[in-house]
Amino acid sequence: MNRLFDFSTGTLMTYIFSHSLFSPDITNILLRQLLSLVGGLLSTIVIAWLKRRWDNRRPPTPET
């Protein structure tokens, strides 16, 4: 469920960003939707990678 939330958040953020870049033409609408899907996938991958790095980090060693 968390990955679905990450995907939808990334998709919406990319769609909002791309909405300001392109004019409302039919080809630009399709390009905008494709860009938002790619942004959603990338955000899901980056967030999963960051979570894995956070979970696998080494605990700090005590100084002697």
Side-chain angles (χ1 to χ4, degrees), residues 9-28:
T9 302
T11 302
L12 288 174
M13 292 302 290
T14 309
Y15 183 75
I16 290 169
F17 178 72
S18 67
H19 184 68
S20 64
L21 293 177
F22 300 111
S23 63
D25 188 13
I26 188 67
T27 56
N28 288 338

Side-chain angles (χ1 to χ4, degrees), residues 29-56:
I29 290 172
L30 295 175
L31 181 64
R32 231 185 297 167
Q33 290 175 348
L34 179 66
L35 186 63
S36 68
L37 286 175
V38 169
L41 287 174
L42 286 177
S43 69
T44 304
I45 291 169
V46 167
I47 289 172
W49 178 73
L50 288 173
K51 284 181 182 178
R52 181 171 290 174
R53 282 194 61 154
W54 181 262
D55 291 340
N56 293 336

